Amino acid sequence: MKQHYTISIGFLLCISSYTFSQVNYTANDFAHAPSYEGHFLYGTNMGWYGNSWDDKSLADIAAGNNSRGVRGVGAKTLRPSLPEEFLESWGYDIRLSEFAHYGTLGIRDNTVMLGWPSAAHRDNNTYGGCADQSMLFANLYEPIWDGGANGTPVNDNNYFALYLYKTVSRYKDQVKFWEIMNEPDYDVGGNAWKGPGETGNWFDNDPAPCDLLNMKAPVFYYIRMLRIAYDVIKTVDPTALVATGGLGYPGFLDAILRHTDNPADGSVTAAYPLHGGAYFDVLSFHSYPMFNLATWDNAINGFVFHRHSDAAVNEYVKLKQQFSQVLESYGYDGIVYPKKVFICTENNIPKKSINDLIGSDEAQRNYVIKALVESQRNDIRQYYIFMLGDDRPVATADNWFQVMGLYQNLTGIGPHANGGAYNQQYPNAGIGFKTTSDLLMYYRYNEARTMAMNLPANIGGAAFTDSIGSTVYVLWAKTTTDLSEATAAVYSFPPDMNVSPLLSRREWNFSVTGVTTTIPAANIPLTGTPVFLSENFVPLPVRDREIPTRDEEAAFDVVLYPNPAANATGVRFTLQSPAPVTVNIFNTSGQLITTIVSARRYGTGTHFIPFNNTQTLPSGVYHCTFETDKVRIVRKLIRE
């Protein structure tokens, strides 16, 4: 194996000086329960649009790049792949520059797809009577570790373990979620969708290897991959999360949870003691609800169609709930075993109707915004749109997946074909995605406030609150008519919510128009397109600072004291390492009032900075921003 290495000298030195402590726990242990406290992230799959684009320029139009005058589409995280066949051919460092570039754009907590063995490392066996060779790695059942006999802590003859070790060691700083394969349950046999009791279903029967297009191997082998991945990835980076590879069918999840990685039959033995749920933290799933918007009606002896955005969103949420039910049936309920984190790494509907499935510009726009809201309501922690851009003009598209982009057709129009110019164009779905990301990125779903809204059955929506107590409400009238987004409703906030009598309103296209209007909090007219309402949209400047997780905020321990303040006040904070600190005071309109300190370097420890120049501020509410080179934390300041 050593002849295949393409490793820098610095990396080799790092390996030789690092003492690995192999994990001695699994995902079944509460002491190591999966935790993801980061903000909900708006993600995208990037796609391939020809040589006029590279991964850096695609990241530019996903997240925005101020240095190049690119606004972006509001993406905060990406889902690239790092196939073994690619890394073995071009060297494992081949994408380090791209991943570093993602970080400069504020992209974080990426999900990376793993798999696709090189020809030399592919299993050449066939299984279950298939004519096709296995798609998986050879030597999966070789020992994972060999104590450094080959210069690495893993057994080099276990090709999958070695690939994981080399990849995760290099890219771990930019990756939070590692997906094991892409769509291992891709079914060509027609049984995956069936429920328990139906002939051939996967709850009562194991998937046939020949039916698993991306595996061509027994499900036990996929569990083996999860076991290897959990062991190696957690050893290299204990903070990383191991995810399933974008599952589409609850029956396949059931097969993972009821079997071990025993290659004979998935049964429990001393060598294979745990079922598959012990070896992943995150349930990553895919949802394309346009395929599920028809129900059979015996009364008419035919299908009844529900091709509108709310029906599509309901199907997306229903699939998540079905996965949750399977997990809970095997004890992953937070009582017997820790709950799994959920992310959705592929999701959308097309902007053109093909083969009579849902598809229009308006339906896609409404669906995207509603799906982002409902993801957060249903504890789905990341949402990745499919796809960053269309790869065919709408007029000539003949496949649903060609027209699911947040940009219009990108093929051949990238900066490498235009003298460095970026000529991408937003469709309405892209504008809606960016508006939602821009307005809700600093907010978390507020269940209590949402319940207090007492939404009637014909109105959808949710409340989102930020760290300083500001709330944004998203509302829409639910669609009900096949092939139509036309609907209407009127909503009034309940008096006991004490919402301001006048609210600021922003439409789905605010990211382009910048228009804010003022409306009463009673008798609000709604359509099938979501609107954003707030007592006070706080347009504090957004800089390229990482949004801290709750744990990170706790580590900085930023406190204003006294607060409320009658006279003098100040900020107390804690640094785990030396850092430059900037503290600003803004009014509620987002105007900078005063700078307390600017890029002043403080050492490790706890510090207090008095606000000597705020004593003359009029009484009212202000916002204090605390910033280092890594994070930006906002606190509300009240002057009495």
Side-chain angles (χ1 to χ4, degrees):
M1 284 297 296
K2 293 185 177 63
Q3 66 268 27
H4 295 288
Y5 284 4
T6 306
I7 311 177
S8 66
I9 293 175
F11 183 73
L12 284 172
L13 291 175
C14 178
I15 291 175
S16 63
S17 62
Y18 190 91
T19 302
F20 281 91
S21 177
Q22 184 181 337
V23 295
N24 59 359
Y25 56 85
T26 72
N28 288 350
D29 299 324
F30 277 96
H32 300 277
S35 175
Y36 183 66
E37 293 298 323
H39 284 72
F40 173 85
L41 289 184
Y42 300 78
T44 183
N45 292 267
M46 288 194 289
W48 166 251
Y49 312 98
N51 294 326
S52 67
W53 298 93
D54 58 28
D55 284 356
K56 290 182 180 179
S57 56
L58 289 174
D60 288 344
I61 68 171
N65 187 335
N66 292 333
S67 68
R68 296 184 179 180
V70 180
R71 296 187 67 230
V73 77
K76 306 299 182 183
T77 188
L78 297 174
R79 183 183 178 241
S81 63
L82 290 172
E84 198 239 21
E85 59 184 355
F86 174 75
L87 298 178
E88 285 289 314
S89 295
W90 296 94
Y92 278 77
D93 293 344
I94 186 65
R95 281 290 180 262
L96 288 176
S97 177
E98 282 75 11
F99 276 70
H101 181 70
Y102 305 157
T104 67
L105 302 176
I107 293 170
R108 58 193 175 277
D109 289 358
N110 296 300
T111 295
V112 165
M113 293 177 278
L114 298 170
W116 299 280
S118 61
H121 298 157
R122 182 175 165 186
D123 183 1
N124 60 12
N125 292 306
T126 60
Y127 299 95
C130 296
D132 298 321
Q133 174 187 348
S134 167
M135 302 292 289
L136 305 186
F137 286 77
N139 297 354
L140 286 175
Y141 285 88
E142 288 277 335
I144 302 172
W145 307 95
D146 65 5
N150 296 295
T152 66
V154 297
N155 175 12
D156 287 15
N157 289 323
N158 189 316
Y159 301 137
F160 185 55
L162 182 62
Y163 155 63
L164 290 170
Y165 169 72
K166 292 159 69 176
T167 304
V168 177
S169 295
R170 285 168 169 80
Y171 295 93
K172 62 181 181 178
D173 291 341
Q174 290 82 30
V175 181
K176 185 64 175 180
F177 302 91
W178 297 97
E179 277 188 314
I180 310 308
M181 291 189 61
N182 180 54
E183 298 182 346
D185 59 348
Y186 192 109
D187 174 45
V188 294
N191 290 311
W193 62 272
K194 296 178 179 178
E198 296 185 75
T199 302
N201 78 87
W202 288 358
F203 292 89
D204 305 313
N205 307 276
D206 294 337
C210 302
D211 292 345
L212 299 174
L213 183 66
N214 293 335
M215 287 181 50
K216 298 296 182 183
V219 64
F220 323 128
Y221 285 59
Y222 182 68
I223 299 170
R224 179 64 177 178
M225 291 180 69
L226 290 173
R227 182 176 181 179
I228 296 168
Y230 194 90
D231 216 11
V232 175
I233 292 173
K234 292 289 188 176
T235 295
V236 175
D237 180 10
T239 68
L241 296 176
V242 178
T244 57
L247 302 187
Y249 301 104
F252 190 82
L253 174 62
D254 194 277
I256 292 173
L257 299 179
R258 69 176 182 261
H259 289 306
T260 73
D261 56 324
N262 185 336
D265 57 5
S267 63
V268 173
T269 67
Y272 307 104
L274 299 175
H275 295 110
Y279 304 122
F280 67 94
D281 305 299
V282 177
L283 196 289
S284 168
F285 72 106
H286 293 171
S287 173
Y288 293 103
M290 69 269 193
F291 298 120
N292 299 300
L293 299 181
T295 54
W296 183 262
D297 187 338
N298 288 328
I300 64 172
N301 195 33
F303 285 101
V304 176
F305 293 93
H306 315 279
R307 291 165 292 187
H308 53 85
S309 59
D310 276 284
V313 168
N314 289 342
E315 288 298 321
Y316 165 45
V317 172
K318 184 172 76 172
L319 180 59
K320 188 269 181 177
Q321 293 171 342
Q322 289 171 342
F323 279 121
S324 293
Q325 291 166 2
V326 173
L327 286 166
E328 289 172 7
S329 72
Y330 284 92
Y332 292 94
D333 54 3
I335 300 173
V336 179
Y337 299 122
K339 287 187 174 182
K340 303 296 186 185
V341 175
F342 272 80
I343 62 175
C344 183
T345 51
E346 288 184 21
N347 186 282
N348 206 352
I349 63 173
K351 59 175 62 70
K352 176 183 180 179
S353 179
I354 298 170
N355 295 341
D356 291 329
L357 297 186
I358 189 174
S360 72
D361 184 77
E362 186 180 17
Q364 187 186 63
R365 175 198 66 198
N366 291 348
Y367 175 79
V368 164
I369 300 172
K370 294 173 184 179
L372 290 170
V373 170
E374 292 298 328
S375 292
Q376 296 173 74
R377 279 194 60 167
N378 288 275
D379 203 25
I380 300 168
R381 306 308 308 278
Q382 288 191 335
Y383 174 98
Y384 290 85
I385 202 83
F386 190 94
M387 176 72 74
L388 178 58
D390 294 350
D391 61 14
R392 184 84 63 87
V394 173
T396 60
D398 57 10
N399 182 283
W400 313 282
F401 301 101
Q402 296 167 346
V403 284
M404 288 189 173
L406 297 177
Y407 286 106
Q408 296 177 20
N409 178 40
L410 293 178
T411 301
I413 70 161
H416 297 312
N418 296 288
Y422 287 75
N423 295 321
Q424 69 282 351
Q425 299 293 320
Y426 294 118
N428 285 337
I431 295 172
F433 186 95
K434 180 168 174 54
T435 294
T436 309
S437 175
D438 287 353
L439 295 184
L440 296 184
M441 184 60 233
Y442 287 87
Y443 293 73
R444 294 181 186 270
Y445 170 63
N446 188 328
E447 182 177 13
R449 202 68 175 161
T450 300
M451 295 298 293
M453 292 168 71
N454 195 26
L455 294 175
N458 65 329
I459 292 177
F464 299 85
T465 302
D466 69 2
S467 62
I468 57 177
S470 298
T471 299
V472 172
Y473 305 94
V474 188
L475 287 168
W476 65 87
K478 289 184 179 180
T479 54
T480 58
T481 304
D482 184 42
L483 292 178
S484 176
E485 293 298 300
T487 187
V490 176
Y491 175 77
S492 298
F493 282 92
D496 58 4
M497 287 189 70
N498 296 316
V499 172
S500 172
L502 293 177
L503 295 173
S504 295
R505 173 170 173 150
R506 292 176 176 175
E507 307 297 333
W508 66 272
N509 57 356
F510 174 79
S511 58
V512 171
T513 67
V515 172
T516 302
T517 59
T518 302
I519 64 168
N523 299 316
I524 301 168
L526 300 172
T527 69
T529 303
V531 297
F532 301 81
L533 306 171
S534 181
E535 294 169 297
N536 179 38
F537 286 107
V538 183
L540 295 180
V542 178
R543 298 184 177 88
D544 292 332
R545 297 288 187 272
E546 181 175 347
I547 301 170
T549 66
R550 290 172 180 168
D551 289 344
E552 289 169 334
E553 281 209 21
F556 282 97
D557 190 28
V558 177
V559 177
L560 300 179
Y561 182 81
N563 186 31
N567 294 300
T569 187
V571 60
R572 185 193 72 202
F573 59 93
T574 300
L575 298 177
Q576 304 301 318
S577 60
V581 172
T582 297
V583 178
N584 290 313
I585 304 295
F586 295 86
N587 65 17
T588 55
S589 296
Q591 298 171 315
L592 177 64
I593 301 301
T594 185
T595 297
I596 307 301
V597 294
S598 179
R600 182 183 299 174
R601 193 167 186 84
Y602 288 83
T604 302
T606 300
H607 308 272
F608 182 82
I609 302 175
F611 292 178
N612 297 322
N613 50 349
T614 62
Q615 296 184 32
T616 59
L617 288 178
S619 298
V621 178
Y622 299 87
H623 300 298
C624 172
T625 63
F626 168 88
E627 299 180 64
T628 72
D629 53 345
K630 294 182 179 179
V631 301
R632 182 172 187 267
I633 298 171
V634 182
R635 294 286 185 261
K636 183 183 291 185
L637 170 64
I638 300 175
R639 286 282 292 152
E640 294 180 329

